[in-house]
Coordinates of all heavy atoms in Angstrom, one line a residue:
G1 N 50.5 -0.9 52.3 CA 50.8 0.3 53.1 C 49.6 1.1 53.5 O 48.7 0.5 54.2
R2 N 49.4 2.2 53.0 CA 48.1 3.1 53.4 C 47.0 2.9 52.5 O 46.1 3.6 52.5 CB 48.6 4.6 53.5 CG 49.5 4.9 54.7 CD 48.9 4.8 56.1 NE 47.8 5.8 56.2 CZ 46.8 5.6 57.0 NH1 46.8 4.5 57.7 NH2 45.8 6.5 57.0
W3 N 47.1 1.9 51.7 CA 46.1 1.7 50.6 C 45.3 0.4 50.7 O 46.0 -0.6 51.3 CB 46.6 1.7 49.2 CG 47.0 3.1 48.8 CD1 48.2 3.7 49.2 CD2 46.3 4.0 48.1 NE1 48.2 4.9 48.6 CE2 47.1 5.2 47.9 CE3 45.0 4.1 47.5 CZ2 46.6 6.4 47.3 CZ3 44.5 5.3 47.0 CH2 45.5 6.3 46.9
L4 N 44.0 0.4 50.8 CA 43.2 -0.8 51.0 C 42.5 -1.2 49.8 O 42.0 -0.6 49.0 CB 42.1 -0.5 52.0 CG 42.5 0.0 53.3 CD1 41.3 0.5 54.2 CD2 43.3 -1.0 54.1
G5 N 42.6 -2.6 49.5 CA 42.1 -3.2 48.4 C 40.6 -3.6 48.8 O 40.4 -4.3 49.8
V6 N 39.7 -3.1 48.0 CA 38.2 -3.2 48.4 C 37.4 -3.9 47.4 O 37.7 -3.9 46.1 CB 37.5 -1.8 49.0 CG1 38.4 -1.3 50.1 CG2 37.5 -0.8 47.9
V7 N 36.3 -4.5 47.8 CA 35.3 -5.0 46.9 C 34.0 -4.4 47.3 O 33.7 -4.3 48.5 CB 35.3 -6.6 47.0 CG1 34.1 -7.2 46.3 CG2 36.6 -7.1 46.6
Y8 N 33.1 -4.0 46.4 CA 31.9 -3.4 46.7 C 30.9 -3.6 45.6 O 31.2 -3.8 44.4 CB 32.0 -2.0 46.9 CG 32.8 -1.2 45.8 CD1 31.9 -0.5 44.9 CD2 34.1 -1.1 45.6 CE1 32.5 0.2 43.9 CE2 34.6 -0.6 44.7 CZ 33.9 0.2 43.8 OH 34.5 0.8 42.7
A9 N 29.7 -3.8 45.9 CA 28.5 -4.0 44.9 C 28.2 -2.6 44.3 O 28.4 -1.6 45.0 CB 27.3 -4.5 45.7
P10 N 27.7 -2.6 43.1 CA 27.3 -1.3 42.5 C 26.3 -0.5 43.4 O 25.4 -1.2 44.1 CB 26.6 -1.8 41.2 CG 27.2 -3.0 41.0 CD 27.5 -3.8 42.3
E11 N 26.2 0.7 43.4 CA 25.4 1.6 44.1 C 23.9 1.0 44.0 O 23.4 0.9 43.0 CB 25.5 3.0 43.7 CG 24.6 4.0 44.6 CD 25.3 4.2 45.9 OE1 26.5 4.4 45.9 OE2 24.5 4.3 46.8
G12 N 23.3 0.9 45.1 CA 21.9 0.5 45.1 C 21.5 -1.0 44.9 O 20.4 -1.4 44.8
S13 N 22.7 -1.7 44.7 CA 22.6 -3.3 44.5 C 22.7 -4.0 45.8 O 23.4 -3.6 46.6 CB 23.7 -3.6 43.4 OG 23.7 -5.0 43.4
D14 N 22.0 -5.1 45.8 CA 22.1 -6.1 46.9 C 22.8 -7.3 46.5 O 22.9 -8.4 47.1 CB 20.7 -6.4 47.6 CG 19.9 -7.1 46.6 OD1 20.2 -7.2 45.4 OD2 18.8 -7.6 47.0
T15 N 23.7 -7.2 45.6 CA 24.5 -8.3 45.0 C 25.6 -8.9 46.0 O 26.1 -8.1 46.8 CB 25.4 -7.8 43.8 OG1 24.6 -7.3 42.8 CG2 26.3 -9.0 43.3
D16 N 25.5 -10.2 46.2 CA 26.4 -10.8 47.0 C 27.7 -10.9 46.3 O 27.9 -11.6 45.2 CB 25.9 -12.3 47.3 CG 26.9 -13.1 48.3 OD1 27.9 -12.5 48.6 OD2 26.6 -14.2 48.6
C17 N 28.8 -10.3 46.8 CA 30.1 -10.2 46.2 C 30.9 -11.5 46.3 O 32.0 -11.6 45.7 CB 30.9 -9.0 46.8 SG 30.1 -7.4 46.4
G18 N 30.4 -12.4 47.2 CA 31.2 -13.7 47.3 C 32.5 -13.6 48.1 O 33.2 -14.5 48.0
T19 N 32.5 -12.7 49.0 CA 33.7 -12.5 49.9 C 33.5 -13.1 51.2 O 34.4 -13.1 52.1 CB 34.2 -11.1 50.0 OG1 33.1 -10.4 50.4 CG2 34.6 -10.6 48.5
G20 N 32.2 -13.5 51.6 CA 32.1 -14.0 52.9 C 32.1 -15.5 53.1 O 31.9 -16.0 54.2
S21 N 32.8 -16.3 52.3 CA 33.0 -17.8 52.3 C 34.5 -18.0 52.2 O 35.2 -17.2 51.6 CB 32.3 -18.4 51.2 OG 30.9 -18.2 51.2
P22 N 35.0 -19.1 52.9 CA 36.5 -19.3 52.8 C 36.9 -19.6 51.4 O 36.2 -20.2 50.6 CB 36.5 -20.6 53.8 CG 35.2 -20.6 54.6 CD 34.2 -19.9 53.8
Q23 N 38.0 -19.3 51.3 CA 38.8 -19.5 49.9 C 40.3 -19.8 50.3 O 41.0 -19.0 50.7 CB 38.7 -18.3 49.0 CG 39.3 -18.5 47.7 CD 39.2 -17.3 46.8 OE1 38.2 -16.8 46.6 NE2 40.4 -16.8 46.4
A24 N 40.7 -21.1 50.1 CA 41.9 -21.5 50.6 C 43.2 -20.9 49.9 O 44.1 -20.4 50.4 CB 42.2 -23.0 50.6
E25 N 43.0 -20.5 48.6 CA 44.1 -20.0 47.7 C 43.8 -18.5 47.7 O 42.8 -18.0 47.5 CB 43.9 -20.6 46.3 CG 45.0 -20.2 45.4 CD 44.8 -20.6 43.9 OE1 44.3 -21.9 43.9 OE2 45.1 -20.0 43.0
R26 N 44.9 -17.8 47.8 CA 44.9 -16.3 47.7 C 45.0 -16.0 46.1 O 46.0 -16.5 45.5 CB 46.2 -15.8 48.3 CG 46.1 -14.3 48.5 CD 46.0 -13.8 49.9 NE 46.2 -12.3 50.1 CZ 45.3 -11.5 50.4 NH1 44.0 -12.0 50.6 NH2 45.6 -10.3 50.6
R27 N 44.1 -15.3 45.7 CA 44.1 -14.9 44.3 C 43.3 -13.7 44.1 O 42.7 -13.2 44.9 CB 43.4 -16.0 43.5 CG 41.9 -16.3 43.8 CD 41.2 -17.4 42.8 NE 40.0 -17.7 43.1 CZ 38.9 -16.9 43.0 NH1 39.0 -15.8 42.2 NH2 37.7 -17.3 43.3
A28 N 43.4 -13.1 42.8 CA 42.7 -11.8 42.3 C 41.4 -12.1 42.5 O 40.7 -13.1 42.1 CB 43.2 -11.4 41.0
Y29 N 40.6 -11.1 42.9 CA 39.1 -11.0 43.0 C 38.5 -11.1 41.7 O 38.9 -10.3 40.8 CB 38.6 -9.8 43.7 CG 37.1 -9.8 43.8 CD1 36.4 -10.7 44.6 CD2 36.3 -9.0 43.0 CE1 35.0 -10.8 44.6 CE2 35.0 -8.9 43.1 CZ 34.3 -9.8 43.8 OH 32.9 -9.8 43.8
R30 N 37.7 -12.1 41.4 CA 37.0 -12.2 40.0 C 35.5 -12.4 40.2 O 34.9 -13.0 39.4 CB 37.5 -13.5 39.2 CG 39.1 -13.1 38.9 CD 39.6 -14.3 38.1 NE 40.9 -14.6 38.4 CZ 41.4 -15.8 39.0 NH1 40.5 -16.7 39.2 NH2 42.5 -15.9 39.2

């Protein structure tokens, strides 16, 4: 609906969240 599921690094961090590569199976972010 009007809600977005988002992923984000902690403030001030340059952590790669791992969302920029393909993943064939739809699953919960871990």
Side-chain angles (χ1 to χ4, degrees):
R2 295 286 299 147
W3 291 85
L4 302 175
V6 298
V7 171
Y8 56 98
E11 185 76 41
S13 168
D14 61 354
T15 301
D16 178 0
C17 294
T19 58
S21 298
Q23 180 179 303
E25 181 184 325
R26 187 115 171 111
R27 65 172 171 82
Y29 177 73
R30 291 186 218 110

